Amino acid sequence: MKTTVVLFGGNGYIGRELTRQWQQVEAQAEFWVVSRSGHNDLQAANVHNLALDLTDLAAVKAALPTKIDYMVDLIGRPDADTSQQLAINQAPALVMQQLAEAYHVRAMGFVGGKLGPKSFVALKASIIQRLRTSELPLAVVEPTLVYGADRHDSMSRLVPLLKIGGLFNANLKPVTVATVAAQLLAKLREVGGQTD
C-alpha cells in the first residue's frame, strides 16, 4: 500500500525538502500539500497541491483523501500581534490534530523552535504539549535558525553570527534545511512503525 502524507504548509523550504527526501525513501508515496496559496515549486505526479484555509477543519477534511498515514504541520512564524500569532501557529496545529485523530494516522509531525521571540518559542512549546495529549505518536524537531536550500530572507543573514555563537551555546547553532527534514523524516518513520 502506498504511504499517504499530508503536509500543512508543505510548500515552504522545509516542506519541499521533506517531500524530496521522503520520495527518495518511498518513491510511491503520495503527498497532499495544503497551504493558503496552493503554490508549490515542487511538481510531481505524486504531489497534490491544495489551496485551503488551514484553520477551516471542514474544508480541509473535504479535500483530503480517504486514507492518510502521516500528517505533518510545518507552519510557523512569529507575529507581533498575539491573536495573529495564535491564528498562524496554533490554529492549524489543532486542525491537524483533529484530522489525524479522525483518520487514525500512523503519526503526526510538528516543527517547534528554540530561537525567536520569547512568545513564539513559548507558543510552539505549548502546541507540542497539546499535541502530546493525543494517543497518536508524535515526531517533533525543534531547530534553531534553519538555513540553506532556497531560504534567502533577512533571518538567513544571521547564520554566520549564529555559527560562532553556536560554538558556545547549542541553542544558537543554526541548522540546515536538509538536516531538519532528515531528522523529522527519521522520527516520523520510527514512531509510525516504518523501519528500513
Side-chain angles (χ1 to χ4, degrees), residues 165-179:
L167 296 172
F168 307 100
N169 182 342
N171 286 333
L172 294 177
K173 185 177 180 180
V175 61
T176 66
V177 171
T179 299

Side-chain angles (χ1 to χ4, degrees), residues 3 24 26 32 36 71 79 111 113 119 145 148 159 180 184 196:
T3 298
Q24 291 173 354
E26 291 185 73
W32 296 79
R36 284 182 308 237
M71 293 195 82
D79 195 284
V111 178
S119 62
L145 178 66
V159 170
V180 173
L184 184 55
D196 296 327

